[in-house]
Amino acid sequence: MAADNRYEEEEEVRTDDGSPITKPRPIVRLGIFLVAHSPVFSVVFSAAGVLALLLLPLLAKNTYISENALMPGSARSMLSNRDASDGSKLVKDIKNFRLNHEGQVQRLIGKYMSEMVAEVYYQKFQPEGNQFHPLHFFSGPASYTLLGNVSCASYGVNVVGIIRAPRGDGKESIVLVTPYDFINGGDYEDLSLGIVSSLFSLLSRVTWLSKDIIWLVADSRYGDYRPVAAWLAEYHTPSFKVSDLLKCDELNTADNFRRAGTVAAALILKVDGRSERFEDILSIYADASNGQMPNLDLINVVNYLAVHRQGFHVKVEKVVSLLSSSWLKIVGEIFEAVGKVANTLNPDWKFGIPAAEYIEGSATLASSLYSQALGIPTGPHGAFRDYQVDAITLKISPGFPPDSKARQHDFFLRGSQLLEGTIRSVNNLLEKFHQSFFLYVLTSPSKFISVGVYMIAFALLVASLPMVAASLYVDGCKALTKSTHNSAENFKSWKWLDAAKQVFALHLLGFIVTLLPYFICQVPGQHSPRNRSIMWGTTSSLLLVTFVTIPGCSPFSSRLHGTNWAILKSVTISAAFIGLCLMSIINFATAEIGALLLVPTCLLAQPIKPALRSRRVKSLLGAFCSMVLVTIGFPVIFFAITKGLVGEGLVGLSLGGEFWTWLESLWAWKSATYLYIGMVHLPCWLLCVCILFHPS
């Protein structure tokens, strides 16, 4: 009987000719359902992605120290008034030295280091040129373009002191960096030297050190980043070739470069201008190149010691314009009301925060996303991150004038004790930072959003792209069926290769446009950013016109090859989806901002000719939205809108020059955002323009 039932079931799943009918699996049926209803789901997923992005400040968690060995604040500070007095003496001597002598402040700092039983040496470096080279995006951190014909006075000089750990084996070290302009240094920079000198005086006597201490006084006449990067390059990849630096060797810098162990962590200290408040403010900068961040434990240790031990007011950067945003205030009040309702329903539901806290968190989150998306380090700590060293920049704004002797002593004590506690915690580690997060964004110094939370918003934004691409491909094949009357052959055909060839050709054009600045920079006499931007735009336009005239490569000729606009849009959306997903691996912030702009542009792009013919309100509204999004999506226009939102005006003719200068900063810092704009966003934008004016 059981055999008969199995026979009947087998008969039910066979066709008239006896061939079996295979039932699709549940996952396949779900995919078919999503593709069939892609317009609805695209709206749902896009709205959910934007909502998830707005909810991120509410989902932020309190920071915590993952590595138990750090134990911040567990030991009593050994810093004494004598150490703080040593720092004050150095500051006083530097001021007197400047009044009586010109230059060579390095010798005075080196003398103080030697008196603290430190190994002292001087390192000279050349200023870096800002010349674009396409291969620098894929080169190591030690690749720099040096300026030619540099005089001896143009060389920078770093002063380095090393304290060998009494309990160490010389295999690990901690670096303290104080950027200092030896030519035009100010009183606040002198205070940063005083703080680290007070700490250095203590560390030269303690017996608990197990890691060597390196104090780098970086010559910041060419910026804070370049001297640190030059020292790190020589520290990790020594150069043995004869250099022109020997001709200008006044401080005996030749062949005396000394090294300690592998750098476990680095702290960069700067004393900025006076605080607007009466209390001392500590600002933490952690963003490195292309969205890289130090281990969160390092920030947590500094934040804990600064707040709970030394009484600093700790802050991170915010987008100030968002603090007074009316629409953000409304969103915060809505979330606050929803949180109160949820709390009345169930007190265990911890949803919702005060509107003021939401605005602060959103402004900090926007700043963190913007800094990571630019891919430009926010301080010299970025040079350490290129060598996989965890580092942060601490910028202190004192609440008193620099000539106030009464508060200077206490300021040196508190600043030095903060650094001492941090060094004690790092000194306890037996291995590199690894317990806490490396992928995160901050909403305050004590709150963060991990990668598992913020990737949800990006995933929801791009989730609709493959569904819409599959739906458009089906519609395109159905349109071809009406003309050929052979549905099965159209679905199995390779007609989509025509659209793929056109999409590939435009991406190749984007790659060429990305490399054009290298050749433009070689043209003699064209040094003005405005002239270079005009040359770049003109050359790119000529290349585009040439591309359009090539038979078989232009999307406008797709009708000749039997490819309709639906299949072209399907392949375009697929290319945008792949590009955004790849970019999310390199730099999430760039991919998130790119998705907010590119996803609606690709989804709403449609030919405007049918809408103009039909003259229906719905069709005309869709065409209008497509044109608006395509206009905003043009990189130069979006750059101008962004500048306007942050309150920076633009003169009409200077727009191209400012855009070129901005791009120069991206390629100078090897930002992957530059590659994204040229090789992902620009080709997809051009394809959307082609779809918009497609001869349907």
Side-chain angles (χ1 to χ4, degrees):
M1 188 68 179
D4 295 340
N5 290 337
R6 284 196 300 271
Y7 179 76
E8 290 175 2
E9 290 176 1
E10 185 178 357
E11 287 294 327
E12 291 176 358
V13 296
R14 290 181 179 274
T15 59
D16 295 337
D17 58 357
S19 60
I21 299 176
T22 57
K23 292 184 178 180
R25 295 182 179 181
I27 188 67
V28 177
R29 292 201 296 268
L30 176 61
I32 294 174
F33 176 77
L34 292 175
V35 170
H37 301 82
S38 60
V40 177
F41 284 106
S42 63
V43 175
V44 172
F45 280 121
S46 299
V50 176
L51 179 62
L53 188 62
L54 294 174
L55 284 172
L56 286 182
L58 279 72
L59 303 176
K61 295 182 179 179
N62 292 325
T63 56
Y64 57 92
I65 296 176
S66 302
E67 179 58 73
N68 294 327
L70 291 171
M71 298 185 294
S74 59
R76 185 177 179 181
S77 174
M78 299 176 62
L79 204 77
S80 63
N81 291 325
R82 168 197 162 188
D83 300 315
S85 298
D86 290 342
S88 300
K89 186 174 183 299
L90 174 61
V91 172
K92 181 180 179 181
D93 288 348
I94 289 177
K95 291 181 179 179
N96 294 333
F97 194 85
R98 277 185 167 170
L99 292 175
N100 302 325
H101 303 278
E102 297 227 352
Q104 301 300 319
V105 182
Q106 296 94 329
R107 289 187 183 276
L108 177 63
I109 297 175
K111 176 186 174 183
Y112 267 79
M113 290 181 178
S114 300
E115 292 175 353
M116 299 174 191
V117 201
E119 300 176 13
V120 182
Y121 66 92
Y122 306 91
Q123 182 221 1
K124 285 197 172 185
F125 63 91
Q126 290 178 290
E128 181 186 359
N130 185 20
Q131 184 176 4
F132 172 75
H133 194 284
L135 296 181
H136 279 185
F137 289 105
F138 313 102
S139 59
S143 60
Y144 297 102
T145 303
L146 301 179
L147 296 177
N149 300 323
V150 179
S151 63
C152 293
S154 299
Y155 288 113
V157 181
N158 294 328
V159 186
V160 187
I162 301 177
I163 295 177
R164 302 294 177 179
R167 293 191 178 184
D169 53 4
K171 293 183 178 179
E172 288 185 296
S173 62
I174 302 172
V175 179
L176 296 172
V177 181
T178 49
Y180 189 82
D181 188 348
F182 292 105
I183 305 299
N184 301 308
D187 294 336
Y188 287 107
E189 287 183 311
D190 296 341
L191 295 181
S192 64
L193 292 178
I195 291 176
V196 180
S197 177
S198 303
L199 175 65
F200 213 62
S201 175
L202 168 69
L203 296 178
S204 63
R205 306 189 312 269
V206 298
T207 58
W208 46 261
L209 269 181
S210 62
K211 293 178 173 60
D212 297 338
I213 302 297
I214 303 175
W215 180 15
L216 169 63
V217 182
D219 190 349
S220 60
R221 72 178 76 178
Y222 301 114
D224 297 342
Y225 187 93
R226 174 60 185 142
V228 178
W231 179 81
L232 282 170
E234 183 67 21
Y235 191 89
H236 290 90
T237 55
S239 176
F240 299 100
K241 62 183 180 180
V242 179
S243 173
D244 294 337
L245 294 173
L246 298 178
K247 303 175 184 178
C248 312
D249 200 6
E250 301 176 2
L251 291 171
N252 190 24
T253 62
D255 301 327
N256 69 344
F257 195 98
R258 295 182 178 88
R259 293 170 179 82
T262 303
V263 181
L267 298 172
I268 295 88
L269 179 69
K270 293 185 63 177
V271 178
D272 204 3
R274 185 176 178 180
S275 169
E276 297 179 356
R277 309 168 60 142
F278 291 104
E279 57 184 338
D280 301 330
I281 296 178
L282 173 66
S283 301
I284 300 178
Y285 297 88
D287 302 278
S289 58
N290 291 318
Q292 297 182 87
M293 299 289 286
N295 191 274
L296 188 57
D297 268 347
L298 181 59
I299 298 178
N300 295 341
V301 167
V302 172
N303 180 62
Y304 175 83
L305 293 173
V307 174
H308 300 285
R309 290 293 185 270
Q310 306 306 325
F312 284 102
H313 175 75
V314 181
K315 71 171 188 177
V316 290
E317 283 297 295
K318 301 179 180 67
V319 178
V320 181
S321 59
L322 289 180
L323 297 176
S324 57
S325 174
S326 57
W327 69 268
L328 192 62
K329 181 180 179 182
I330 295 173
V331 173
E333 291 173 349
I334 292 174
F335 286 147
E336 182 180 4
V338 172
K340 291 180 180 178
V341 173
N343 191 33
T344 56
L345 296 177
N346 189 342
D348 294 333
W349 290 350
K350 304 297 182 182
F351 180 81
I353 57 177
E357 185 179 345
Y358 176 83
I359 295 174
E360 289 274 344
S362 299
T364 306
L365 174 64
S367 176
S368 184
L369 287 176
Y370 177 75
S371 299
Q372 293 186 24
L374 279 183
I376 299 176
T378 54
H381 59 271
F384 286 93
R385 195 60 207 155
D386 291 339
Y387 294 90
Q388 304 306 307
V389 176
D390 297 295
I392 57 176
T393 296
L394 307 177
K395 185 180 292 186
I396 303 178
S397 300
F400 60 92
D403 55 352
S404 175
K405 303 297 181 182
R407 295 192 58 183
Q408 186 183 98
H409 185 84
D410 177 68
F411 180 71
F412 284 172
L413 275 176
R414 293 168 59 221
S416 302
Q417 287 172 355
L418 171 62
L419 297 179
E420 178 197 0
T422 307
I423 289 177
R424 273 185 175 270
S425 295
V426 178
N427 188 71
N428 292 336
L429 293 179
L430 299 178
E431 50 195 347
K432 292 186 66 176
F433 284 100
H434 67 282
Q435 288 282 0
S436 193
F437 295 91
F438 285 95
L439 300 173
Y440 58 89
V441 290
L442 296 173
T443 59
S444 76
S446 58
K447 285 194 173 183
F448 76 104
I449 303 169
S450 66
V451 59
V453 177
Y454 65 63
M455 282 299 292
I456 296 175
F458 173 78
L460 289 172
L461 276 174
V462 301
S464 60
L465 294 182
M467 293 186 299
V468 175
S471 176
L472 286 170
Y473 179 75
V474 173
D475 294 341
C477 291
K478 288 180 179 179
L480 291 176
T481 302
K482 295 179 181 179
S483 58
T484 60
H485 306 287
N486 193 343
S487 175
E489 183 178 347
N490 281 324
F491 277 99
K492 296 179 181 179
S493 68
W494 293 80
K495 298 265 185 177
W496 61 273
L497 279 180
D498 292 331
K501 180 174 62 175
Q502 296 155 9
V503 172
F504 174 78
L506 266 179
H507 277 80
L508 181 61
L509 175 66
F511 175 74
I512 296 173
V513 171
T514 304
L515 297 183
L516 275 180
Y518 170 69
F519 302 100
I520 293 175
C521 290
Q522 309 302 320
V523 178
Q526 297 294 333
H527 302 295
S528 169
R530 180 188 171 191
N531 293 339
R532 286 181 174 180
S533 63
I534 293 175
M535 185 180 297
W536 189 31
T538 304
T539 309
S540 302
S541 301
L542 291 176
L543 287 173
L544 179 61
V545 172
T546 304
F547 160 78
V548 170
T549 58
I550 297 176
C553 290
S554 171
F556 296 105
S557 63
S558 58
R559 175 181 286 182
L560 302 177
H561 298 270
T563 305
N564 57 19
W565 70 271
I567 295 181
L568 176 62
K569 182 177 177 179
S570 173
V571 181
T572 300
I573 291 177
S574 301
F577 176 73
I578 295 172
L580 288 171
C581 289
L582 289 176
M583 194 62 215
S584 68
I585 300 174
I586 302 172
N587 189 339
F588 154 77
T590 300
E592 178 71 25
I593 297 175
L596 287 172
L597 189 62
L598 196 57
V599 168
T601 304
C602 289
L603 292 180
L604 293 179
Q606 58 181 347
I608 60 174
K609 281 190 175 181
L612 296 177
R613 292 195 196 106
S614 64
R615 296 184 179 180
R616 291 184 298 180
V617 176
K618 181 179 179 181
S619 301
L620 292 175
L621 183 61
F624 175 75
C625 293
S626 300
M627 294 182 67
V628 170
L629 287 173
V630 167
T631 303
I632 296 175
F634 184 53
V636 180
I637 301 298
F638 184 72
F639 172 77
I641 294 174
T642 305
K643 297 279 283 186
L645 289 177
V646 297
E648 299 180 16
L650 282 172
V651 182
L653 294 178
S654 67
L655 175 58
E658 292 220 14
F659 184 70
W660 176 273
T661 304
W662 179 69
L663 289 179
E664 274 189 341
S665 66
L666 293 183
W667 72 56
W669 293 100
K670 306 174 188 178
S671 173
T673 303
Y674 176 76
L675 295 180
Y676 168 80
I677 293 173
M679 301 177 64
V680 178
H681 185 89
L682 183 61
C684 291
W685 178 84
L686 288 173
L687 286 164
C688 289
V689 174
C690 294
I691 293 170
L692 200 65
F693 298 100
H694 194 278
S696 301

